[in-house]
Amino acid sequence: MAKIFPFQAVRPTRDKVCLVTCRSYEEYVNAELAAQLDFNPLSFLHILKPAYTNQETVSFEKRYKQVHQKYQDFKNEIILIKDKKPAIYIHKIVTKTHSFTGIIVGTSVKDYCNNIIKKHEDILEFRVQLLKDYMKFSEFNTEPVLMTYPDNKTIENWIFNCCHKLADFEFSTTKKEIHYLWKIEDTLEINWLQNIFEKTESLYIADGHHRTEALKLLSEENSENTSQDHILSYLISENNVKIYEFNRLIKDLNGFSKSDFIMELAKDFKIENKFQQPFQPLKKHQFGMYLDNEFYSLELKKDADLLETALETLDTQILYKKVLLPLLGIEDLRNDERIEYLSGKQSILEVKNKIDQGEFEVGFLLYPSNIREIKALADANQIMPPKSTFIEPKFRSGLVIYEF
């Protein structure tokens, strides 16, 4: 059964939180990153990229140690302070279209090893090693692993009541999001919540597979440091996550003419030409395609190969097995330079524009997966194809920090 733990978080002071917290480092374009680093001395980006001011090239280990030193500087300057008592935290994010509320806690590395915390994505070993070394030398983690738990009315009511109290933090971002944070440090209340989660059979990783595996390695490497036995986690009800698709853009037709390619597709799909009318799939096993200035609907024929396993029924796997691999010759979805991905958060007209500009020849639009598919894969110990889901909410760095 799932175990959760309170911890003493390091957090920005209340008056500085809106200046300190930032999006994940990779989300910034260069101009935006430079502006933040040049004009906001309190941004957590200065910790994440401490060599920015002199632009020096350093080894990974040296950079990680610089991250640790800059982090200590922020603490010494009272920009960041450590809570006096172990606590759990409720975090609410309100965007222009959605509202997400979850619980920030420590979860157990042992639960991950014992498959109580379940995964559905493959990992890249080199990324895991880099993350493990990063956390080893920096001695902190500020990016929680997003995990879902089954809908629970008792937890929902408790969160609802907590959110009616005055928040410890309330601030807005330049992306027009509003963030709230409540600290729960009452021992009886924490014990009550721990007991509820101990009755929860499984937690499912929605986002953060590499970080979870890195924390497992870190725990194995230094078994004497029990603080490394916990995973900084953001637990959210499975009905409160938002799952987007990743659409596929391909640079060529692998030697096929347009007519021959469509003829091959017709063996497995019912094809309808939508001409200039933008088309987005409305259900599973239906795909959109944009080719040569025209949109198409592709619907998997009912007499196509029988789909039995959770993996075989995934639209991303169907597209790979029926189109990308046999027709377009794309075997490695992660590394082939002929394929790129656009999240479903972006307009399908962005797919059209990239193809019209000649950068790509064909684009495929997918219907988003759902939490049931993710859980079925995880329960069956199967792995989703790369770039199958883009999941929200996304957490801000520097808001809640777990120290090792």
Side-chain angles (χ1 to χ4, degrees):
M1 301 303 173
K3 295 180 176 61
I4 64 169
F5 306 91
F7 64 100
Q8 289 174 266
V10 175
R11 301 183 290 141
T13 58
R14 188 184 182 96
D15 61 313
K16 298 181 180 69
V17 60
C18 63
L19 295 171
V20 173
T21 65
C22 64
R23 304 195 305 278
S24 177
Y25 176 79
E26 292 82 5
E27 291 186 31
Y28 290 89
V29 298
N30 289 337
E32 190 179 13
L33 180 64
Q36 283 286 319
L37 291 167
D38 283 338
F39 301 112
N40 181 5
L42 299 181
S43 173
F44 202 82
L45 288 168
H46 287 284
I47 295 174
L48 301 178
K49 193 171 176 61
Y52 172 78
T53 51
N54 53 19
Q55 295 293 307
E56 63 177 317
T57 301
V58 298
S59 67
F60 285 124
E61 182 174 333
K62 185 175 180 181
R63 185 171 77 83
Y64 299 159
K65 289 180 177 178
Q66 289 176 339
V67 168
H68 173 75
Q69 184 55 57
K70 192 65 178 178
Y71 173 68
Q72 294 302 321
D73 291 344
F74 267 49
K75 289 177 67 178
N76 293 336
E77 295 168 15
I78 320 297
I79 299 169
L80 301 172
I81 56 175
K82 189 168 187 174
D83 285 338
K84 294 180 180 179
K85 292 177 60 178
I88 58 178
Y89 305 83
I90 296 173
H91 181 218
K92 183 177 182 179
I93 308 169
V94 180
T95 72
K96 288 180 284 187
T97 55
H98 296 93
S99 175
F100 306 99
T101 307
I103 310 164
I104 305 170
V105 296
T107 56
S108 170
V109 170
K110 288 183 180 179
D111 281 356
Y112 175 66
C113 296
N114 294 331
N115 205 33
I116 293 171
I117 295 174
K118 297 187 176 185
K119 61 184 179 181
H120 69 269
E121 285 186 5
D122 205 357
I123 55 173
L124 298 174
E125 290 298 333
F126 80 91
R127 281 194 63 194
V128 171
Q129 287 293 331
L130 284 176
L131 278 169
K132 188 266 291 181
D133 291 341
Y134 176 85
M135 289 186 284
K136 174 183 177 181
F137 289 108
S138 66
E139 299 182 0
F140 71 84
N141 180 20
T142 187
E143 294 187 25
V145 175
L146 181 65
M147 300 184 190
T148 67
Y149 59 84
D151 299 343
N152 185 305
K153 195 66 177 177
T154 301
I155 297 176
E156 184 180 327
N157 289 337
W158 173 75
I159 289 175
F160 178 82
N161 290 330
C162 290
C163 291
H164 276 74
K165 301 173 184 176
L166 180 65
D168 288 66
F169 288 158
E170 178 183 348
F171 64 95
S172 298
T173 73
T174 55
K175 293 291 184 180
K176 297 182 180 178
E177 297 175 344
I178 306 174
H179 290 254
Y180 303 87
L181 188 79
W182 292 266
K183 179 172 67 172
I184 311 297
E185 56 185 7
D186 179 79
T187 302
L188 292 177
E189 204 165 358
I190 292 171
N191 290 340
W192 172 82
L193 191 64
Q194 287 176 314
N195 288 333
I196 289 181
F197 274 99
E198 283 182 2
K199 299 172 186 175
T200 301
E201 185 174 337
S202 299
L203 300 174
Y204 293 84
I205 300 174
D207 193 20
H209 287 77
H210 286 87
R211 189 163 298 274
T212 308
E213 187 69 19
L215 286 163
K216 173 190 169 185
L217 293 185
L218 193 62
S219 176
E220 292 171 346
E221 189 176 280
N222 190 2
S223 57
E224 295 180 0
N225 186 348
T226 57
S227 67
Q228 295 175 354
D229 293 340
H230 297 161
I231 304 164
L232 178 64
S233 304
Y234 185 66
L235 307 185
I236 189 167
S237 173
E238 61 188 33
N239 69 359
N240 196 208
V241 294
K242 176 64 178 174
I243 303 174
Y244 297 91
E245 72 280 9
F246 268 106
N247 297 315
R248 274 71 170 137
L249 293 163
I250 316 297
K251 292 189 176 180
D252 59 68
L253 293 182
N254 196 32
F256 283 102
S257 66
K258 174 184 175 182
S259 58
D260 287 344
F261 181 63
I262 291 177
M263 190 180 302
E264 288 294 322
L265 288 175
K267 294 177 180 179
D268 289 310
F269 299 92
K270 298 176 184 176
I271 302 175
E272 181 181 352
N273 192 332
K274 299 290 185 178
F275 300 100
Q276 294 298 310
Q277 178 185 352
F279 174 78
Q280 197 154 6
L282 302 174
K283 58 184 179 179
K284 276 178 62 64
H285 301 170
Q286 187 179 60
F287 304 84
M289 181 175 74
Y290 184 70
L291 172 65
D292 192 26
N293 297 309
E294 293 178 323
F295 285 94
Y296 295 82
S297 164
L298 310 179
E299 188 163 343
L300 188 69
K301 292 180 178 179
K302 294 190 183 304
D303 59 353
D305 294 344
L306 185 64
L307 306 176
E308 295 181 342
T309 68
L311 178 60
E312 289 171 341
T313 62
L314 278 182
D315 283 352
T316 49
Q317 184 71 359
I318 291 169
L319 186 67
Y320 175 67
K321 286 294 188 179
K322 299 291 186 183
V323 182
L324 300 183
L325 178 60
L327 301 184
L328 297 178
I330 295 174
E331 182 174 358
D332 188 343
L333 291 173
R334 202 181 291 276
N335 297 309
D336 196 312
E337 294 181 353
R338 295 169 54 226
I339 185 170
E340 289 190 15
Y341 305 89
L342 274 181
S343 84
K345 286 199 70 175
Q346 300 185 58
S347 168
I348 63 172
L349 296 180
E350 185 65 21
V351 173
K352 178 182 185 300
N353 291 339
K354 284 182 174 288
I355 294 171
D356 288 347
Q357 291 166 7
E359 190 177 350
F360 300 92
E361 191 160 354
V362 62
F364 296 96
L365 306 161
L366 286 86
Y367 188 74
S369 295
N370 58 56
I371 194 65
R372 293 185 300 279
E373 291 178 310
I374 290 175
K375 290 176 66 176
L377 275 167
D379 289 339
N381 293 316
Q382 293 182 317
I383 299 299
M384 270 189 166
K387 296 292 185 181
S388 289
T389 57
F390 179 89
I391 300 179
E392 289 186 331
K394 300 296 184 185
F395 204 80
R396 288 180 73 82
S397 295
L399 180 61
V400 172
I401 303 162
Y402 182 93
E403 290 188 330
F404 301 118

